[in-house]
Amino acid sequence: MEATTVTTIGNSTAFLYSGSNPIQTGVATGTIDPEQAAVTRGMVKDRYGNPVVGVKVSIAGKPEFGQTLSRTDGEFDMAVNGGGPLTVVYEKSGYLTVHRIVEVPWQDYAVLPDVVMTPLDTKVTTVQMGDSSVQVAQGSNVMDQDGERQATLMFPSGTAATMVLPDGSTQTLSSLAVRATEFTIGPQGPDAMPAELPPYSAYTYAAELSVDEAIAAGASTVLFDRVVPFYVDNFLNFPVGVDVPVGYYDRQKIAWVPSDNGRIIEILGVDANGYAEVDVDGTGAAADAATLQTLGITQQEREQLAILYTPGKTLWRAPLTHFTPVDCNWGENGQAILDARLPARNLPSPETEKKTSQTDPDCRGGSIIECQNQVIRERVPIVGTGFNLNYRSDRVTGRTSNYKIDIPVTDATVAPELIRIDVKVTVAGRLYEQSLAPVPNQNYEFFWDGMDVYGRIIQGQQRASISIEYVYNSDYQLPAGYPIGERLFNAFFGVVEFPNVSIFTSPTRDETRFVWRRDEYVGMLDANVQGLGRWTIDVQHAYDPIGKTLFLGTG
């Protein structure tokens, strides 16, 4: 990296994809525009916090950017062109694929949150298509701090399946090796989700329903000719009779898609014919045949319920017609928190020091002293020329104010519901994080040492992306009990999708965050870049394209 010029992303990160043995492979010649150049960075871990090596990282729909691999420390760097959102794809054989959307600016780094890779469930069930009996496939039993559960699938008799191949064609499957792998396990569960959830959808439960034959063929999904009921234990103890918001993640569309609502049911007992008696509305009474038919619960299904579960068991049931990542996520009670966080919107600008500087300050002394800016200047004529050498104390190493940002975090009022504040600052590819107590009139003073993520001294100003996350606890918000047959909406996208809701006082599995963001510039162009011992010539200027600042040789 050239030490005598302003550091730009284009010239300082070309080593990632160029040379005889580049870190990032498959980048088409001329793809990375020096003006638009940016780098996405992140870390890949397993469920226990250990780094995962060799995860293939690429950009969806952008094959010209090639690919890179996570290193032994789990980190990766990938050069791209900035200017908008990109979808980062994480893949490794034996693990579930993860997507993350990141906003990538020009001439900067975009640091992604850590991602957790989930290995395929070790429990696999062979299911023969067209069989005359109901076949059951189950995932492994899962236990974490939120409870115990197991995913169960019931394939009705005569079910046929086809997989959708990469070219869009389909192929019939006669036998399926079925797995049900949960993403949402333990404290690392939110980082393992196949993609970020839609707004107002609270983190609850997600699982990948997969077929080994389809994975081997690179198929995007497996389709069934009839409903395959999906069950999971009601491990959060939600009320019986409540709708289950169901959606799935479409990796081709890079979007969550609403699906038909499910229902929370209870097994009341077993009738004389060996069929489970099922409560579907929370009344404590077994549903009649007409009600069960409306929900699609067949006698074959009830027979299996009687075999698999004991009376008193409550379950979430979802009707599925294809295999992809399936998600059962209720909304969150965000309105109370939304009201509580309003004072945070009135924070002043975080960069107070810049506001006190003046472009036309009062000057004093034999040397030129800018009083308000606390800057000392000198001007020395160059003998025999009409030029001058100029010196400014704010353009030399050691001027800490060039590397400091004062960040207001709270104003005079702090909501009692606020549990903490997470401040994150990203600069030169490095992420700085600090958790703060929820106290009023609080500022966070950020210092940068002037070095980038690769340990190199950076010349010129760099963008500092500031994120203040106000962290709250929240409760789930459940769809109200509409009469069966009148549930014409899909509840998956949370509060914005249904007008009549009820609050269930059960805390969400993950914290709720409201984020305040701002960009500032930090750092400096050391006058020594011009090779004159930190003196400048009055006719020689330097331009910083990152901070968009022209540094005059006149000082």
Side-chain angles (χ1 to χ4, degrees):
M1 185 169 64
E2 178 58 58
T4 59
T5 59
V6 173
T7 305
T8 65
I9 296 298
N11 63 35
S12 65
T13 61
F15 74 91
L16 291 173
Y17 55 88
S18 59
S20 60
N21 188 27
I23 299 169
Q24 181 177 337
T25 59
V27 180
T29 302
T31 294
I32 306 299
D33 183 342
E35 294 297 321
Q36 293 181 258
V39 173
T40 60
R41 302 196 71 251
M43 173 176 281
V44 191
K45 301 184 293 186
D46 64 17
R47 189 173 292 154
Y48 307 101
N50 303 311
V52 180
V53 183
V55 175
K56 174 186 169 183
V57 180
S58 60
I59 306 298
K62 301 286 185 180
E64 65 272 20
F65 293 140
Q67 65 184 49
T68 192
L69 300 174
S70 60
R71 302 184 291 270
T72 56
D73 58 2
E75 295 186 352
F76 68 88
D77 306 83
M78 187 167 188
V80 296
N81 288 328
L86 295 174
T87 299
V88 181
V89 181
Y90 302 76
E91 301 171 283
K92 185 173 183 178
S93 178
Y95 290 81
L96 302 179
T97 298
V98 172
H99 284 182
R100 291 293 183 267
I101 296 177
V102 60
E103 191 71 30
V104 185
W106 289 21
Q107 288 292 330
D108 205 353
Y109 295 85
V111 181
L112 291 105
D114 293 350
V115 163
V116 168
M117 299 295 287
T118 303
L120 284 164
D121 197 315
T122 57
K123 187 171 184 179
V124 57
T125 304
T126 300
V127 177
Q128 300 297 331
M129 293 293 93
D131 197 274
S132 59
S133 62
V134 175
Q135 296 176 84
V136 175
Q138 292 183 302
S140 297
N141 196 63
V142 170
M143 168 71 88
D144 62 13
Q145 71 277 11
D146 293 313
E148 187 174 3
R149 64 268 186 192
Q150 184 178 34
T152 298
L153 292 151
M154 297 183 188
F155 296 84
S157 60
T159 300
T162 56
M163 60 180 174
V164 180
L165 298 173
D167 62 2
S169 64
T170 60
Q171 181 178 321
T172 300
L173 292 167
S174 59
S175 177
L176 313 180
V178 176
R179 301 177 196 260
T181 309
E182 184 180 342
F183 292 97
T184 46
I185 302 174
Q188 304 288 344
D191 295 335
M193 288 291 290
E196 293 182 15
L197 285 168
Y200 299 108
S201 188
Y203 168 83
T204 316
Y205 178 88
E208 178 101 16
L209 306 178
S210 62
V211 172
D212 287 359
E213 293 82 356
I215 293 175
S220 59
T221 187
V222 175
L223 306 174
F224 301 101
D225 66 344
R226 64 202 66 192
V227 168
V228 175
F230 171 77
Y231 284 93
V232 68
D233 301 76
N234 181 22
F235 66 105
L236 296 178
N237 299 313
F238 288 165
V240 174
V242 169
D243 277 349
V244 177
V246 181
Y248 65 92
Y249 187 68
D250 188 320
R251 291 192 174 99
Q252 278 60 53
K253 295 180 179 178
I254 313 178
W256 289 100
V257 181
S259 188
D260 290 340
N261 293 344
R263 184 69 62 86
I264 300 179
I265 69 167
E266 181 179 0
I267 310 300
L268 299 177
V270 181
D271 67 15
N273 297 314
Y275 302 136
E277 296 175 317
V278 182
D279 177 6
V280 299
D281 55 15
T283 62
D288 58 26
T291 301
L292 293 172
Q293 184 177 7
T294 300
L295 293 174
I297 300 177
T298 65
Q299 287 189 341
Q300 282 187 332
E301 190 175 339
R302 291 170 59 200
E303 185 176 24
Q304 291 299 317
L305 289 172
I307 295 170
L308 293 169
Y309 303 107
T310 57
K313 186 69 173 179
T314 61
L315 303 158
W316 304 349
R317 178 188 185 273
L320 305 179
T321 56
H322 68 278
F323 275 6
T324 49
V326 63
D327 193 272
C328 301
N329 280 337
W330 279 264
E332 63 182 349
N333 177 18
Q335 188 58 51
I337 296 175
L338 193 64
D339 294 339
R341 66 139 179 159
L342 288 178
R345 293 178 174 176
N346 302 321
L347 291 171
S349 167
E351 188 54 280
T352 56
E353 181 169 331
K354 288 183 180 178
K355 289 190 172 182
T356 64
S357 66
Q358 296 189 18
T359 57
D360 187 20
D362 297 329
C363 297
R364 297 288 186 272
S367 297
I368 304 169
I369 302 174
E370 296 182 2
C371 301
Q372 289 88 345
N373 296 337
Q374 298 181 354
V375 170
I376 298 176
R377 293 165 47 194
E378 290 280 359
R379 179 179 295 122
V380 177
I382 301 176
V383 178
T385 74
F387 306 137
N388 294 292
L389 287 174
N390 292 282
Y391 173 88
R392 283 185 66 94
S393 64
D394 63 347
R395 295 190 188 177
V396 298
T397 304
R399 173 80 175 192
T400 59
S401 61
N402 291 326
Y403 295 87
K404 183 182 74 170
I405 306 175
D406 290 319
I407 305 172
V409 175
T410 57
D411 56 18
T413 304
V414 175
E417 297 86 356
L418 185 64
I419 59 177
R420 77 173 183 281
I421 304 155
D422 292 338
V423 180
K424 300 178 181 179
V425 182
T426 303
V427 58
R430 297 167 67 184
L431 174 62
Y432 302 82
E433 299 180 275
Q434 181 69 49
S435 291
L436 304 174
V439 298
N441 297 316
Q442 185 172 191
N443 275 24
Y444 174 66
E445 196 171 64
F446 169 74
F447 285 95
W448 178 47
D449 62 6
M451 303 182 75
D452 71 2
V453 69
Y454 308 115
R456 305 173 299 184
I457 295 175
I458 297 298
Q459 291 287 3
Q461 292 183 322
Q462 301 295 309
R463 183 187 291 109
S465 298
I466 302 166
S467 171
I468 306 176
E469 300 181 357
Y470 298 90
V471 184
Y472 298 84
N473 287 324
S474 183
D475 291 330
Y476 283 108
Q477 183 166 268
L478 306 184
Y482 285 88
I484 293 173
E486 296 182 14
R487 303 180 184 213
L488 303 179
F489 57 88
N490 185 287
F492 178 70
F493 282 122
V495 296
V496 296
E497 290 296 317
F498 45 83
N500 187 11
V501 296
S502 59
I503 304 302
F504 180 57
T505 55
S506 176
T508 54
R509 295 189 66 197
D510 193 26
E511 298 164 330
T512 297
R513 296 168 180 263
F514 292 100
V515 184
W516 181 87
R517 291 187 173 92
R518 186 181 179 90
D519 287 346
E520 291 292 329
Y521 288 93
V522 66
M524 57 174 283
L525 180 67
D526 191 325
N528 195 46
V529 300
Q530 293 175 297
L532 295 172
R534 294 186 171 86
W535 291 72
T536 60
I537 302 177
D538 53 7
V539 293
Q540 186 175 359
H541 310 315
Y543 178 65
D544 178 357
I546 304 297
K548 295 181 172 58
T549 302
L550 179 64
F551 293 89
L552 301 177
T554 59

